[in-house]
């Protein structure tokens, strides 16, 4: 094993040996987000000089929800719990050397454009081994985009000492039952994604995880990100 792989291996085993880890999965209709991105991505790139992928929408929704669910943005030290008053979001990045997690500092204070720029910049520099140690530490919550490799969902291992990590699956179009204009059930093609939340059951219960995920789901399904694009 390389030194980095040894470090990853040690941290993963320590995580599983320390925390009582459980994963909750929900399904989200992101049809409105997909439509907004499709019609806005060119103007967004021209206005902000960076690509608009799907990930910034998930990071934005997840970060906003953290403010209302402090257990998800916390850390445990023995019997003591620290609840953070900021949102430093770790973004898992697959590199030729192994998995690294650069951090978007104060993501809660950033616009969607700022989040998109941070993701693209950090991911590129991480793959090129151009990030500093301070950019790879200090996260309070982590998001891993496992869908980039085609996975529907997974059960991510906690990035200790955090209490939760959210996995974003691949977005697929599927026939779904929806309410028609007359209120009757109808079949429609919708863009669907699974979100998984692994959490430390020492502090976070299943009901806490479900409430958090449902807030993220509502934000994404509303698709009300027009103002956040700053176009």
């Amino acid at each position: 094993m390389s030194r980095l792989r040894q470090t990853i291996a040690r941290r993963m085993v320590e995580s599983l040996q320390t925390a009582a880890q459980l994963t909750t999965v929900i399904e989200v209709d992101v049809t409105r987000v997909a439509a907004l991105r499709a019609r806005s991505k060119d103007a967004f790139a021209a206005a902000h000089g960076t690509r608009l992928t799907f990930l910034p929408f998930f990071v934005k929704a997840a970060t906003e929800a953290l403010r209302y669910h402090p257990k998800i943005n916390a850390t445990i030290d023995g019997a003591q719990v620290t609840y953070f008053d900021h949102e430093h979001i770790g973004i898992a990045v697959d590199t030729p050397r192994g998995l690294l997690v650069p951090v978007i500092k104060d993501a809660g204070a950033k616009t969607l454009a700022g989040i998109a720029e941070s993701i693209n910049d950090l991911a590129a520099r991480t793959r090129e081994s151009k990030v500093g140690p301070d950019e790879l530490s200090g996260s309070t919550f982590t998001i891993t985009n496992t869908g980039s490799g085609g996975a529907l969902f997974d059960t991510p291992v906690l990035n200790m000492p955090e209490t939760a990590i959210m996995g974003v699956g691949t977005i697929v179009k599927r026939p779904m039952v929806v309410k028609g204009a007359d209120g009757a059930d109808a079949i429609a093609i919708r863009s669907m994604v699974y979100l998984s939340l692994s959490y430390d059951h020492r502090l976070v219960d299943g009901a806490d995880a479900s409430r958090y995920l449902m807030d993220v789901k509502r934000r994404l399904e509303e698709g009300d990100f027009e103002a956040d694009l700053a176009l």
Side-chain angles (χ1 to χ4, degrees), residues 82-94:
T82 299
Y83 299 97
F84 296 108
D85 60 358
H86 55 268
E87 301 86 21
H88 293 346
I89 307 299
I91 302 294
V93 175
D94 179 33

Side-chain angles (χ1 to χ4, degrees), residues 20 22-26 62 65-74 76 81 83 141 163-166 196-218:
L22 181 64
T23 303
T24 295
V25 181
I26 65 164
L66 289 177
R67 301 170 190 170
Y68 305 101
H69 301 273
K71 287 184 179 181
I72 310 298
N73 193 44
I76 301 171
V81 180
Y83 299 97
F141 179 79
T163 56
I165 178 173
M166 189 177 84
S196 58
L197 187 78
S198 291
Y199 47 95
D200 192 337
H201 209 344
R202 293 180 299 168
L203 177 66
V204 183
D205 293 330
D208 299 315
S210 294
R211 283 189 287 266
Y212 171 78
L213 285 172
M214 292 307 293
D215 277 353
V216 177
K217 174 185 174 77
R218 277 188 286 271

Side-chain angles (χ1 to χ4, degrees), residues 24 81 93 107 116 120 178-179 190 230:
T24 295
V81 180
V93 175
N120 294 335
V178 299
K179 290 291 183 184
R190 309 294 292 180

